[in-house]
Amino acid sequence: MILTLAACESTSPETTVEAAPPAEDPARAALERAEAASTRAERARLYLAALTATYGQGDFVEASDIAALLEPLVADLGKTEQFRFGEIALELELSERPGHPPDDVRAAALLAQLRPFAPQETLVVARFRARLLTRRADNPRAAALAWIEVAAHDAAEDQDVRMATAAAWRQVSRLTILETDDLARGAPTDVGRAFAVLARDFNAALTDVLQFHVWEDWKKSHPGHPAARFAPPGAPPVTGKPRALALLIPLSGPLGGVGQAVRDGFSAALLHAEAATQVAGGGNPATSVRLYDTSSMAPTDAYRLAVSEGADLVIGPLQKFAVAEVAAVPPSVPVLALNHLDEAPRALAAQIPQFALAPEDDASAIAAALTGDGMERIVLFDTSASWSARAKARLLAERRGVEVVATGRLGSGDVTPVVGDALAVTRSTQRYAEIASMLTIDDLQFTPRRRDDVDAVVALVGEQQLLFLKRALEFHFAGALPIYAPSAAVGAALRPIDGVHVCGIPWRLHPDGLRAAAAPLPASRGSSAPWFAFGVDGFRLANQWQRLISRDAPIPGSTGTLRLAPNGRINRDLAWATVQGGRLVPRITGRE
C-alpha cells in the first residue's frame, strides 16, 4: 500500500503531459506532396485533392491560387477529375471574393470546356448554363428555358426541380404577355412550350384566385411536367388575401381627369376578373370595392373611413402630399400608395409599396436598351420640363459606360440650331466661313459635316419636340442614327417618327384580352390610356398582394413588369417597340 501511495504521489498535478500533435491539414499536405511528385499526372491529382479540400473549406482565395497551379496540368487528369476541376473553377469565377468580382466571360469560356460523361454531370452543366444566363440578365426568355431544362432533367431530384422551377418563374415573369405568347409558340422543346403556355395564362390572370384556377386546369393536361409539381408564385391563394378593397383617388379638381381614368381602369379590371372567375367557377375576386373621393375629403379622413368600413387593403391616395399624410398615420391595414414617398424615413417607406408612373422607369429602360444594343456614344436631348430632368439624371446614373458626347436642350422654338450645335454641324459651317473669307475662290465647294463619333440619339422630349427633332436630324445628315425615346414622346402621329425605338407601357405596345374588352371606354385610349392602365394594375397588385410583397417573381402588368424594391418602390420594366410604317411593332428579344 505504501509503495502504491508513493507511486501515486510521484505523478503530481504539476507533471506536464505532452499534447497530441495537431491534425494534418489535408490541403497543405497534398500541396507539399504535389511539389515532390515525380510525374505530371501524380502532381495533377494531388493539386486536385488540395483544390477540392480548400474549396470545401470555403477558402476561395487559396483555392483560386491552387486552381492556377493545376490548370496547365488538367490534361493529365482523368475525365471525371477534369470535370471536377472545371466545376470548381466555374464556381470560383462566379463567386465574390476580395479583389475579384465574378467574371462571367471567363465563366462562359470554362463552361464551354466542360465535357460531361454521366447524367449527373450533364445536370451540373445545365445548371451552370442557366445560372450564367440569369446573371447576364439580358435574355430572360433563354434563362427561363434553361431552368426548365434543369427541372426536366432525368437526374434532377425534388430539390433541383423546386429550385429550377422557381428560377424559371422569376425569369419568364420578366416577359410581357406578348413575349410569353411568342415563347409558347416558338420554344424549341415540348416541355418549354408547355411551360410558356402556363406562364402566359397564369400571368395574364388578374387575381390570385384566377391564377390558381389556371394552374389547376393546366396540371390536368400536363401531369408529368416538372412545373406541375410545385405551385407557381402566388398560387394557391393565401387565406389572408384582401377581401374588401378601398380606392382613394380624386374625382374632381386639377387631377380629377387622372383620377377618373384610374377609376375606370380599376373598375374595368374588376368586371373582367369577375366574369373570368365565374367562368372558372371560383366566386368573386373581391368581396367589395369602395371608392373614396379625396377631392372632397382629407386623405387621412378617407383612409380612416375606409378602415372603419371594413377595408382589408387601401389603394391610394394619388397625390404625393396625400401619400405622405396617409403614411404618417399608424397603419392598421396595408396600403398600396399610388405615388412615391420622397422624404419619408427609409424604414417607413419600405413598409408601404409605392406604385407610380415615374419617368425614371423610362430612363432605366433606355439605359438598358443602349447597353443591350451595343451603343457606346450618344447625343442626349432633353427639355426644361421637370420629368425630363428626372429622366436625364436617372439615365446618366445608369448608362453603364455609354459616353454622352454631346447634349442639347429643346424648347418650344426652332430646334435646328440646337441639333446643329450638338452634332458639330454648326462648327463645320463656321470653319467653312473662316476659310472662305481668307480665299478669293468664288465657287468654293462645301458640304457641312456632322461629327462621326455618334452611335445613337436619346430624346427625353415630348411628342411635338420629337417630331421637330426627327426633321432636324435628317436636315443635319443624321437621319440614319437610331433614336431612343420614352413613352411621353409618342402620340397619335406615328408615321413621321418611323424608325424611332420607343419604350412604353404594355397596354399600348403589347395589347391583351382586357384591352380589347375595354376598347369601347374612351379613357382606355389616347392620353388617358396610361392612367387607365395604371388603374388596371392597381387592381392587379391588390389581388396579387402576397406575390408582390414576397418578391417571389415580377408581376407582368399593363404598365410594365412590376417588381417591389427594398425601398418600397415598385419598379416598372417597360416594353419596347419600333415605329414601322406608322405602327408600333413590338420588339421581341431572345428568339433562337
Side-chain angles (χ1 to χ4, degrees):
M1 183 184 301
I2 292 172
L3 291 173
T4 302
L5 289 173
C8 292
E9 288 176 2
S10 65
T11 309
S12 68
E14 298 178 359
T15 303
T16 301
V17 179
E18 287 190 19
E24 185 180 51
D25 181 355
R28 181 56 52 191
L31 280 175
E32 292 174 355
R33 290 196 295 273
E35 295 301 326
S38 59
T39 66
R40 286 172 55 92
E42 183 183 3
R43 183 177 297 111
R45 285 193 296 272
L46 289 168
Y47 275 148
L48 180 60
L51 174 63
T52 303
T54 305
Y55 176 78
Q57 294 166 1
D59 188 349
F60 292 175
V61 174
E62 178 69 16
S64 297
D65 292 340
I66 298 173
L69 294 173
L70 175 55
E71 191 165 1
L73 304 173
V74 169
D76 296 288
L77 294 171
K79 292 180 179 179
T80 301
E81 294 168 321
Q82 288 182 17
F83 188 88
R84 179 57 179 158
F85 166 77
E87 183 180 4
I88 295 177
L90 257 170
E91 290 288 2
L92 290 173
E93 288 301 333
L94 293 175
S95 67
E96 291 276 1
R97 58 185 186 276
H100 190 288
D103 188 340
D104 293 351
V105 174
R106 175 163 165 75
L110 289 170
L111 179 60
Q113 297 170 11
L114 274 185
R115 295 292 181 267
F117 293 96
Q120 192 62 36
E121 291 176 351
T122 61
L123 176 60
V124 170
V125 171
R127 191 185 298 120
F128 270 126
R129 180 174 179 272
R131 287 173 59 187
L132 277 172
L133 286 168
T134 301
R135 285 181 57 83
R136 287 178 51 185
D138 62 349
N139 194 344
R141 176 189 179 112
L145 291 176
W147 282 117
I148 284 298
E149 180 185 343
V150 172
H153 198 283
D154 291 339
E157 299 181 357
D158 276 355
Q159 64 268 25
D160 298 310
V161 178
R162 181 187 294 274
M163 178 274 298
T165 52
W169 275 111
R170 284 191 291 273
Q171 294 302 311
V172 78
S173 294
R174 293 175 56 199
L175 304 176
T176 65
I177 299 301
L178 183 66
E179 290 171 322
T180 312
D181 182 62
D182 182 77
L183 181 61
R185 290 180 278 106
T189 63
D190 291 341
V191 68
R193 285 191 295 275
F195 176 72
V197 168
L198 169 61
R200 177 197 62 198
D201 298 343
F202 184 89
N203 284 328
L206 287 167
T207 71
D208 57 1
V209 172
L210 282 170
Q211 289 176 334
F212 176 73
H213 285 301
V214 167
W215 184 51
E216 287 293 314
D217 290 343
W218 181 87
K219 283 197 301 181
K220 295 174 184 177
S221 302
H222 304 82
H225 196 284
R229 295 167 60 181
F230 299 104
V238 294
T239 56
K241 186 184 78 67
R243 306 305 303 178
L245 307 178
L247 180 61
L248 278 58
I249 51 172
L251 297 178
S252 61
L255 289 179
V258 169
Q260 292 171 23
V262 173
R263 175 203 61 193
D264 291 349
F266 195 95
S267 301
L270 171 64
L271 295 174
H272 189 76
E274 284 181 342
T277 307
Q278 289 171 3
V279 170
N284 289 333
T287 303
S288 64
V289 176
R290 292 194 178 189
L291 177 64
Y292 299 84
D293 184 1
T294 56
S295 58
S296 62
M297 69 177 77
T300 51
D301 291 342
Y303 173 77
R304 292 189 178 98
L305 180 60
V307 173
S308 69
E309 292 182 343
D312 295 312
L313 189 146
V314 172
I315 303 99
L318 184 64
Q319 299 102 317
K320 192 177 288 286
F321 80 89
V323 172
E325 290 179 3
V326 170
V329 177
S332 53
V333 300
V335 174
L336 173 64
L338 297 182
N339 212 321
H340 287 159
L341 282 166
D342 287 337
E343 300 179 358
R346 183 183 298 269
L348 174 62
Q351 295 173 3
I352 302 177
Q354 303 149 51
F355 182 39
L357 295 182
E360 289 89 343
D361 296 327
D362 292 65
S364 294
I366 292 173
L370 291 172
T371 302
D373 292 347
M375 302 299 171
E376 299 180 354
R377 293 168 297 277
I378 65 169
V379 174
L380 173 61
F381 294 99
D382 66 345
T383 74
S384 59
S386 60
W387 73 264
S388 181
R390 289 163 54 192
K392 179 179 179 180
R394 174 68 67 85
L395 179 70
L396 294 177
E398 298 185 1
R399 52 189 164 140
R400 307 173 198 178
V402 176
E403 181 183 359
V404 179
V405 298
T407 62
R409 173 155 293 183
L410 305 186
S412 56
D414 186 8
V415 306
T416 305
V418 178
V419 176
D421 289 344
L423 294 175
V425 177
T426 304
R427 194 182 317 152
S428 174
T429 305
Q430 290 172 346
R431 284 198 300 268
Y432 162 72
E434 292 170 359
I435 294 172
S437 66
M438 294 184 294
L439 300 175
T440 58
I441 303 174
D442 294 331
D443 59 345
L444 180 63
Q445 299 297 312
F446 168 72
T447 300
R449 298 181 60 186
R450 68 168 176 88
R451 63 188 308 158
D452 59 1
D453 60 344
V454 179
D455 297 323
V457 171
V458 173
L460 302 177
V461 301
E463 175 184 354
Q464 197 64 36
Q465 290 157 329
L466 179 60
L467 293 174
F468 293 152
L469 175 61
K470 186 79 162 51
R471 295 172 192 155
L473 288 170
E474 293 169 353
F475 177 78
H476 286 301
F477 320 104
L481 285 177
I483 303 174
Y484 295 80
S487 54
V490 180
L494 294 177
R495 191 169 295 278
I497 58 171
D498 255 21
V500 174
H501 303 306
V502 180
C503 68
I505 60 174
W507 181 261
R508 183 173 188 184
L509 304 183
H510 297 169
D512 58 12
L514 174 56
R515 178 181 164 182
L521 301 174
S524 69
R525 307 183 302 275
S527 60
S528 298
W531 294 109
F532 188 95
F534 189 63
V536 170
D537 276 349
F539 178 84
R540 175 181 276 111
L541 294 175
N543 282 279
Q544 296 183 39
W545 189 254
Q546 189 59 36
R547 181 176 179 181
L548 173 69
I549 63 175
S550 66
R551 301 183 178 91
D552 284 340
I555 299 177
S558 298
T559 60
T561 300
L562 311 176
R563 298 174 291 109
L564 179 59
N567 64 0
R569 294 192 175 188
I570 297 173
N571 296 327
R572 296 183 303 125
D573 294 335
L574 301 182
W576 278 95
T578 301
V579 182
Q580 295 179 6
R583 296 189 308 111
L584 289 169
V585 178
R587 293 178 62 184
I588 298 178
T589 60
R591 283 175 172 164
E592 292 75 12

